[in-house]
Amino acid sequence: MWGIIKVYRRVVTRYPIIIQATQAGILMALGDQIAQNFIERKKFKELDFLRTAQFGSIGFFITGPVTRTWYGILDKYIGSKTGIAVLKKVACDQLIFAPAGLGIVLTTIGLLQGKDFEQIKTKLSNEYLDILLNNYKIWPIIQLINFYFIPLQYQVLLVQSVAILWNTYISYKTFTLGEQQKRQINIYIK
């Protein structure tokens, strides 16, 4: 076990962006699988592995690298040694990064679902505020802990580990509602 931790420390320090992108992709895919298996209660043959791959790709290409870069910017310009610095980082994270990041993730999900920009705009107007408000119920306290106690190179890992449940919620809220709407449209057309 200590050997794995030692290797992880070495590679996350040497290759922070790629390691944290990889772990974000894996953990976001896991969140989607949890949504499909335990919330939607899909049987194995019903699982949408393309959806899981899409969700994982959002983690790998967007949330992992962008989050790590953002945390580096906060650390560089605000610091990390004082309680005031931590509060400033949480405020910036929740007032700037969270709203923008959520919009980007929801738009990306819409694009991956094949929606046009008008449909994405409608989906954002219907879901964005609710998801953002739910974000504010859990993430400020997580980020207080993260920025105060966790070294920079492990912050994305902590956030993505906690985000397994958040990603499950996002996956269910965005992908599942899209599927339900498709079924309703199909029923209406028939």
Side-chain angles (χ1 to χ4, degrees):
M1 179 69 164
W2 287 109
I4 293 170
I5 293 170
K6 204 175 195 178
V7 169
Y8 178 78
R9 284 182 185 165
R10 189 172 47 238
V11 296
V12 79
T13 301
R14 183 176 262 173
Y15 310 104
I17 300 293
I18 190 68
I19 296 302
Q20 293 175 352
T22 302
Q23 72 194 17
I26 291 168
L27 294 172
M28 285 190 75
L30 179 60
D32 177 68
Q33 277 299 300
I34 291 170
Q36 290 189 54
N37 282 281
F38 298 106
I39 296 174
E40 299 166 41
R41 300 191 184 277
K42 290 184 175 183
K43 295 180 179 154
F44 183 78
K45 63 183 178 182
E46 299 172 323
L47 293 175
D48 186 347
F49 291 106
L50 176 60
R51 176 179 130 180
T52 300
Q54 290 172 335
F55 214 69
S57 69
I58 292 169
F60 183 79
F61 291 107
I62 300 173
T63 61
V66 171
T67 302
R68 172 55 179 90
T69 302
W70 172 247
Y71 291 170
I73 290 168
L74 290 177
D75 210 54
K76 180 178 179 180
Y77 291 102
I78 296 175
S80 61
K81 304 294 183 209
T82 67
I84 295 298
V86 169
L87 291 174
K88 287 179 182 178
K89 287 167 82 170
V90 171
C92 287
D93 186 66
Q94 292 301 301
L95 297 174
I96 298 168
F97 188 76
L102 180 59
I104 291 167
V105 167
L106 294 177
T107 300
T108 303
I109 289 170
L111 291 171
L112 291 172
Q113 290 175 326
K115 295 186 179 343
D116 62 32
F117 284 106
E118 200 56 45
Q119 291 170 312
I120 292 170
K121 185 178 168 186
T122 300
K123 193 164 180 71
L124 284 170
S125 69
N126 292 337
E127 297 175 9
Y128 178 84
L129 186 59
D130 183 48
I131 295 172
L132 184 63
L133 291 174
N134 284 324
N135 165 84
Y136 291 138
K137 292 175 185 175
I138 62 168
W139 285 109
I141 190 69
I142 298 298
Q143 292 296 50
L144 277 169
I145 294 165
N146 194 32
F147 293 141
Y148 193 77
F149 293 108
I150 308 299
L152 177 62
Q153 68 266 31
Y154 306 117
Q155 289 176 356
V156 174
L157 177 60
L158 174 73
V159 166
Q160 287 300 324
S161 297
V162 173
I164 290 172
L165 297 175
W166 179 252
N167 295 333
T168 300
Y169 165 72
I170 295 290
S171 174
Y172 177 73
K173 183 94 171 157
T174 57
F175 280 102
T176 305
L177 291 178
E179 291 170 9
Q180 288 173 348
Q181 290 168 346
K182 286 179 195 173
R183 283 194 288 273
Q184 289 172 347
I185 291 169
N186 287 336
I187 290 169
Y188 179 74
I189 292 172
K190 291 179 183 178

